[in-house]
Protein backbone atom coordinates (compact mmCIF):
# COMPACT_ATOMS: atom_id res chain seq x y z
CA UNK A 1 0.00 0.00 0.00
CA UNK A 2 1.28 3.47 -0.88
CA UNK A 3 1.61 5.61 2.23
CA UNK A 4 3.27 8.63 0.64
CA UNK A 5 2.94 10.34 -2.71
CA UNK A 6 5.17 12.61 -4.76
CA UNK A 7 3.75 14.62 -7.66
CA UNK A 8 6.39 15.72 -10.18
CA UNK A 9 5.67 18.67 -12.48
CA UNK A 10 8.29 19.72 -15.05
CA UNK A 11 7.99 23.35 -16.10
CA UNK A 12 9.74 25.53 -18.66
CA UNK A 13 8.69 29.20 -18.46
CA UNK A 14 5.22 28.36 -17.17
CA UNK A 15 4.45 31.31 -14.91
CA UNK A 16 1.05 31.83 -16.54
CA UNK A 17 -0.39 28.31 -16.28
CA UNK A 18 1.58 26.75 -13.41
CA UNK A 19 -0.40 28.33 -10.53
CA UNK A 20 -3.62 26.76 -11.79
CA UNK A 21 -1.94 23.40 -12.25
CA UNK A 22 -0.56 23.45 -8.71
CA UNK A 23 -3.89 24.55 -7.22
CA UNK A 24 -5.49 21.51 -8.86
CA UNK A 25 -2.78 19.19 -7.51
CA UNK A 26 -3.32 20.64 -4.02
CA UNK A 27 -7.06 19.98 -4.29
CA UNK A 28 -6.40 16.39 -5.41
CA UNK A 29 -4.04 15.90 -2.44
CA UNK A 30 -6.84 16.96 -0.10
CA UNK A 31 -9.28 14.32 -1.34
CA UNK A 32 -10.83 12.54 1.65
CA UNK A 33 -9.58 9.16 0.40
CA UNK A 34 -6.02 10.42 0.95
CA UNK A 35 -6.56 11.34 4.60
CA UNK A 36 -3.35 10.65 6.49
CA UNK A 37 -1.27 10.14 3.33
CA UNK A 38 1.37 12.86 2.87
CA UNK A 39 1.63 14.33 -0.62
CA UNK A 40 4.60 16.38 -1.77
CA UNK A 41 4.85 18.28 -5.04
CA UNK A 42 8.18 18.74 -6.81
CA UNK A 43 8.29 21.35 -9.56
CA UNK A 44 11.30 21.02 -11.83
CA UNK A 45 11.95 24.52 -13.14
CA UNK A 46 13.88 23.61 -16.26
CA UNK A 47 15.77 26.37 -18.08
CA UNK A 48 13.26 28.97 -16.86
CA UNK A 49 13.74 32.69 -17.46
CA UNK A 50 10.51 33.79 -15.84
CA UNK A 51 8.87 33.54 -12.39
CA UNK A 52 8.05 29.82 -12.59
CA UNK A 53 10.25 28.90 -9.60
CA UNK A 54 9.03 31.80 -7.47
CA UNK A 55 5.38 30.97 -8.07
CA UNK A 56 5.96 27.27 -7.43
CA UNK A 57 7.54 27.99 -4.04
CA UNK A 58 4.68 30.37 -3.21
CA UNK A 59 2.26 27.51 -3.88
CA UNK A 60 4.09 25.30 -1.40
CA UNK A 61 5.95 23.09 -3.88
CA UNK A 62 9.53 21.96 -3.57
CA UNK A 63 11.46 23.50 -6.46
CA UNK A 64 14.34 21.81 -8.25
CA UNK A 65 16.16 23.99 -10.77
CA UNK A 66 17.70 22.39 -13.85
CA UNK A 67 19.03 23.70 -17.14
CA UNK A 68 18.73 20.64 -19.36
CA UNK A 69 15.77 21.83 -21.50
CA UNK A 70 14.67 18.24 -21.77
CA UNK A 71 11.34 16.88 -20.56
CA UNK A 72 12.61 13.38 -19.81
CA UNK A 73 15.66 14.58 -17.91
CA UNK A 74 13.54 17.08 -15.97
CA UNK A 75 10.92 14.51 -14.97
CA UNK A 76 13.59 12.03 -13.93
CA UNK A 77 15.43 14.69 -11.92
CA UNK A 78 12.22 15.43 -10.04
CA UNK A 79 11.60 11.78 -9.25
CA UNK A 80 15.21 11.18 -8.19
CA UNK A 81 15.05 14.24 -5.93
CA UNK A 82 12.00 12.79 -4.22
CA UNK A 83 13.49 9.32 -3.85
CA UNK A 84 16.83 10.63 -2.58
CA UNK A 85 15.43 13.14 -0.12
CA UNK A 86 12.29 11.48 1.22
CA UNK A 87 13.49 8.37 3.02
CA UNK A 88 11.56 5.21 3.63
CA UNK A 89 10.90 2.13 1.57
CA UNK A 90 10.39 2.30 -2.18
CA UNK A 91 7.48 -0.11 -1.81
CA UNK A 92 5.26 2.46 -0.09
CA UNK A 93 6.07 5.44 -2.34
CA UNK A 94 3.84 6.38 -5.28
CA UNK A 95 5.03 8.77 -8.00
CA UNK A 96 2.50 10.78 -10.03
CA UNK A 97 3.34 13.16 -12.85
CA UNK A 98 1.44 15.90 -14.58
CA UNK A 99 2.28 18.97 -16.65
CA UNK A 100 2.37 22.66 -15.88
CA UNK A 101 -0.30 23.42 -18.50
CA UNK A 102 -2.69 20.77 -17.20
CA UNK A 103 -5.39 20.65 -14.55
CA UNK A 104 -5.90 17.38 -12.71
CA UNK A 105 -9.40 16.56 -11.38
CA UNK A 106 -10.03 16.34 -7.61
CA UNK A 107 -10.14 12.54 -7.67
CA UNK A 108 -6.92 12.12 -9.66
CA UNK A 109 -4.61 10.90 -6.91
CA UNK A 110 -7.37 8.99 -5.14
CA UNK A 111 -8.03 7.04 -8.34
CA UNK A 112 -4.35 6.19 -8.80
CA UNK A 113 -3.92 5.04 -5.22
CA UNK A 114 -7.06 2.92 -5.40
CA UNK A 115 -5.59 1.15 -8.43
CA UNK A 116 -2.27 0.73 -6.62
CA UNK A 117 -4.14 -0.85 -3.71
CA UNK A 118 -5.71 -3.25 -6.22
CA UNK A 119 -2.25 -4.36 -7.33
CA UNK A 120 -1.52 -2.16 -10.32
CA UNK A 121 2.03 -0.81 -10.50
CA UNK A 122 1.33 1.98 -12.97
CA UNK A 123 -1.74 3.92 -14.07
CA UNK A 124 -1.71 5.45 -17.56
CA UNK A 125 -4.48 8.00 -17.94
CA UNK A 126 -5.99 10.10 -20.71
CA UNK A 127 -6.28 13.81 -21.40
CA UNK A 128 -9.02 16.05 -22.66
CA UNK A 129 -9.16 19.59 -24.04
CA UNK A 130 -11.24 22.49 -22.69
CA UNK A 131 -14.74 22.17 -24.18
CA UNK A 132 -14.58 25.76 -25.45
CA UNK A 133 -11.50 25.04 -27.55
CA UNK A 134 -12.21 24.93 -31.30
CA UNK A 135 -9.98 21.84 -31.38
CA UNK A 136 -11.92 19.92 -28.72
CA UNK A 137 -14.45 18.06 -30.87
CA UNK A 138 -11.95 17.16 -33.56
CA UNK A 139 -9.41 16.00 -30.99
CA UNK A 140 -11.95 13.85 -29.19
CA UNK A 141 -13.05 12.13 -32.42
CA UNK A 142 -9.48 11.19 -33.30
CA UNK A 143 -8.36 10.49 -29.76
CA UNK A 144 -11.25 8.16 -28.95
CA UNK A 145 -11.39 6.42 -32.32
CA UNK A 146 -10.59 3.06 -30.70
CA UNK A 147 -13.01 3.47 -27.80
CA UNK A 148 -15.58 0.64 -27.80
CA UNK A 149 -19.27 1.45 -27.61
CA UNK A 150 -21.68 0.43 -24.91
CA UNK A 151 -19.61 1.40 -21.90
CA UNK A 152 -17.03 -1.35 -22.43
CA UNK A 153 -13.75 -0.60 -20.67
CA UNK A 154 -11.38 1.25 -22.99
CA UNK A 155 -7.79 0.06 -22.70
CA UNK A 156 -6.60 3.08 -24.62
CA UNK A 157 -3.32 3.34 -26.56
CA UNK A 158 -2.32 6.77 -25.24
CA UNK A 159 0.48 7.75 -22.83
CA UNK A 160 0.81 11.22 -21.32
CA UNK A 161 3.20 12.56 -18.74
CA UNK A 162 0.30 14.83 -17.79
CA UNK A 163 -1.64 11.85 -16.41
CA UNK A 164 0.65 9.11 -15.21
CA UNK A 165 1.32 7.32 -11.94
CA UNK A 166 3.81 4.61 -11.04
CA UNK A 167 5.00 2.76 -7.96
CA UNK A 168 8.48 3.94 -7.03
CA UNK A 169 9.93 0.42 -6.97
CA UNK A 170 8.61 -0.29 -10.48
CA UNK A 171 9.92 3.06 -11.69
CA UNK A 172 13.42 2.28 -10.49
CA UNK A 173 13.31 -1.25 -11.89
CA UNK A 174 12.30 0.08 -15.33
CA UNK A 175 15.12 2.62 -15.38
CA UNK A 176 12.99 5.74 -14.95
CA UNK A 177 12.25 8.44 -17.49
CA UNK A 178 14.94 8.46 -20.19
CA UNK A 179 16.48 11.84 -21.19
CA UNK A 180 14.28 12.35 -24.23
CA UNK A 181 12.97 15.75 -25.30
CA UNK A 182 9.72 14.06 -26.37
CA UNK A 183 8.31 10.60 -25.72
CA UNK A 184 9.92 9.98 -22.34
CA UNK A 185 6.51 9.00 -20.96
CA UNK A 186 5.91 6.40 -23.67
CA UNK A 187 9.43 5.03 -23.22
CA UNK A 188 8.90 4.59 -19.47
CA UNK A 189 5.59 2.77 -19.94
CA UNK A 190 7.14 0.52 -22.60
CA UNK A 191 9.97 -0.33 -20.20
CA UNK A 192 7.51 -1.07 -17.40
CA UNK A 193 5.56 -3.44 -19.64
CA UNK A 194 8.76 -5.08 -20.90
CA UNK A 195 9.82 -5.72 -17.30
CA UNK A 196 6.49 -7.38 -16.59
CA UNK A 197 4.99 -4.72 -14.31
CA UNK A 198 1.22 -4.43 -14.10
CA UNK A 199 0.20 -1.38 -16.12
CA UNK A 200 -3.41 -0.18 -16.16
CA UNK A 201 -4.61 2.01 -19.00
CA UNK A 202 -7.55 3.89 -17.56
CA UNK A 203 -9.83 6.53 -19.08
CA UNK A 204 -11.84 7.07 -15.89
CA UNK A 205 -10.07 10.22 -14.64
CA UNK A 206 -8.93 12.33 -17.60
CA UNK A 207 -6.73 15.37 -17.05
CA UNK A 208 -7.65 18.69 -18.67
CA UNK A 209 -4.73 19.97 -20.71
CA UNK A 210 -4.22 23.12 -22.72
CA UNK A 211 -4.93 23.31 -26.43
CA UNK A 212 -1.95 25.52 -27.16
CA UNK A 213 -0.07 24.73 -30.34
CA UNK A 214 3.22 26.29 -29.23
CA UNK A 215 3.98 23.42 -26.88
CA UNK A 216 7.15 23.33 -24.81
CA UNK A 217 8.17 19.85 -25.96
CA UNK A 218 9.13 19.46 -29.65
CA UNK A 219 6.94 16.95 -31.47
CA UNK A 220 4.83 16.58 -28.33
CA UNK A 221 1.11 17.02 -27.71
CA UNK A 222 1.02 20.50 -29.22
CA UNK A 223 2.56 19.17 -32.41
CA UNK A 224 -0.08 16.44 -32.46
CA UNK A 225 -2.84 19.03 -32.17
CA UNK A 226 -1.29 21.13 -34.94
CA UNK A 227 -1.05 18.12 -37.22
CA UNK A 228 -4.70 17.09 -36.88
CA UNK A 229 -6.52 17.19 -40.23
CA UNK A 230 -8.90 20.08 -40.63
CA UNK A 231 -12.56 19.16 -41.09
CA UNK A 232 -13.60 18.94 -44.70
CA UNK A 233 -16.27 21.24 -46.04
CA UNK A 234 -19.07 20.15 -48.31
Amino acid sequence: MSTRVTVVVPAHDEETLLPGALAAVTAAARHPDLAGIPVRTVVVADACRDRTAVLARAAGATVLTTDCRNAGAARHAGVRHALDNWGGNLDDHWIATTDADSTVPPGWLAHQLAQAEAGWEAVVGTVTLPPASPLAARHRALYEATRPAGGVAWHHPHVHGANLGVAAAAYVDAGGFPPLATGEDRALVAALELRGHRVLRSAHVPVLTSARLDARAPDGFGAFLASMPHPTTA
Side-chain angles (χ1 to χ4, degrees), residues 83-200:
L83 298 181
D84 293 343
N85 291 278
W86 197 0
N89 196 314
L90 285 178
D91 292 335
D92 65 8
H93 196 164
W94 184 262
I95 305 294
T97 75
T98 190
D99 287 338
D101 68 337
S102 300
T103 304
V104 303
W108 181 59
L109 290 175
H111 171 71
Q112 290 191 5
L113 291 192
Q115 305 317 308
E117 181 70 12
W120 295 99
E121 295 172 277
V123 179
V124 183
T126 56
V127 298
T128 187
L129 298 184
S133 168
L135 299 175
R138 190 156 34 110
H139 168 259
R140 182 173 181 178
L142 290 172
Y143 190 82
E144 299 191 359
T146 62
R147 187 167 197 155
V152 177
W154 181 35
H155 302 291
H156 63 85
H158 308 293
V159 180
H160 304 282
N163 191 357
L164 184 60
V166 58
Y171 178 90
V172 171
D173 181 65
F177 287 111
L180 300 175
T182 305
E184 78 289 347
D185 42 13
R186 294 189 296 274
L188 172 61
V189 171
L192 288 165
E193 292 175 332
L194 184 64
R195 296 287 293 174
H197 293 288
R198 297 190 68 210
V199 176
L200 174 66

